[in-house]
Amino acid sequence: QRLSEQVRVNVRILEKEYQVGCAPDQKAALLESAELLNAKMREIRDSGKVVGLDRVAVMAALNLANELIKAQGQDEELKHIVGVRIRAMREHLDSALGPAKQLTL
């Protein structure tokens, strides 16, 4: 994507302004992402366990990455469960219809 096709978006994270370029159709997602990051960083900073903006940012990034990995794992598990159930339903239908009328999927 060419630079001219981008818009500049101001985001505020921990009372600091950042200007970020993105495609026009990604502006809402960028703002939502910035809000999520800001909330995570505030949570970590306000816990008092982590000091320094860079350390707060790293901890927030690690927490968000961990949440993403967990969500991806749950997604794979759900796909597996759905696949198993579909196979079981197909086998049940095949046996109910008999060998002459088996479904082809």
Side-chain angles (χ1 to χ4, degrees):
Q1 215 172 26
R2 292 190 328 236
L3 191 58
S4 63
E5 296 172 353
Q6 292 194 345
V7 294
R8 294 195 183 276
V9 180
N10 290 324
V11 296
R12 190 169 184 84
I13 300 172
L14 290 186
E15 293 80 41
K16 194 167 181 181
E17 287 280 330
Y18 298 91
Q19 194 172 76
V20 182
C22 72
D25 62 342
Q26 295 296 313
K27 182 178 177 179
L30 173 61
L31 291 171
E32 189 174 347
S33 297
E35 286 178 30
L36 176 62
L37 178 59
N38 187 44
K40 261 310 175 201
M41 288 180 68
R42 279 180 182 275
E43 180 183 308
I44 292 167
R45 180 196 64 189
D46 293 348
S47 75
K49 296 176 184 174
V50 181
V51 179
L53 181 61
D54 57 340
R55 290 179 184 210
V56 168
V58 168
M59 288 304 299
L62 286 171
N63 286 338
L64 290 168
N66 186 42
E67 289 174 17
L68 176 62
I69 288 169
K70 283 181 181 177
Q72 288 173 335
Q74 290 170 349
D75 187 44
E76 287 302 314
E77 184 179 344
L78 183 59
K79 285 179 187 177
H80 174 71
I81 290 168
V82 168
V84 167
R85 288 188 179 170
I86 288 173
R87 281 191 297 279
M89 288 169 50
R90 181 172 182 219
E91 289 170 10
H92 183 71
L93 283 171
D94 284 348
S95 66
L97 291 172
K101 297 182 182 175
Q102 286 188 352
L103 295 175
T104 54
L105 298 177

